[in-house]
Amino acid sequence: MGTLLARAHWLNLLRFCGKHSIVIYLAFFLPMAATRTLLLRAGPIHDIGTISLVVTIVGVVGALVLWRIALLVGANSLFERPAAFWIAPKKPHVTLQAAE
């Protein structure tokens, strides 16, 4: 079942979130806390399950947005492990050469 689901292109968003889970883990708190506070104080939604779903979605999307902003500003070090804390050296990225 997992192999069949891995071939499904509609799961690319889930694959992207899995690949960048450390980014979501590190930046989830800020948008989650702000959304939770806003929803509980304003009170537009009274169902706790719906509030939890909205807070989770906003937390994940907000974390990815904060990451992209950090990349644009040049603050890559906020989401990358320092070289001193790698057990093994980073693998070099494969780049394609232009055909001559």
Side-chain angles (χ1 to χ4, degrees):
M1 186 72 164
T3 303
L4 293 174
L5 286 174
R7 293 180 184 166
H9 293 290
W10 55 272
L11 291 175
N12 286 341
L13 178 64
L14 209 57
R15 183 177 294 119
F16 180 83
C17 286
K19 186 176 178 182
H20 298 92
S21 60
I22 191 69
V23 170
I24 295 171
Y25 175 77
L26 291 173
F28 182 82
F29 177 76
L30 212 57
M32 181 267 311
T35 306
R36 183 192 64 213
T37 303
L38 181 71
L39 287 176
L40 291 177
R41 294 226 175 143
I45 304 172
H46 298 291
D47 179 38
I48 195 70
T50 307
I51 290 175
S52 299
L53 178 65
V54 170
V55 165
T56 301
I57 291 170
V58 170
V60 170
V61 171
L64 293 172
V65 168
L66 286 173
W67 173 58
R68 295 301 289 173
I69 291 171
L71 290 178
L72 289 173
V73 172
N76 301 357
S77 61
L78 292 174
F79 295 102
E80 289 183 7
R81 184 183 309 170
F85 296 109
W86 281 89
I87 295 173
K90 279 185 169 182
K91 294 179 183 176
H93 293 283
V94 177
T95 56
L96 298 176
Q97 295 179 354
E100 294 181 11

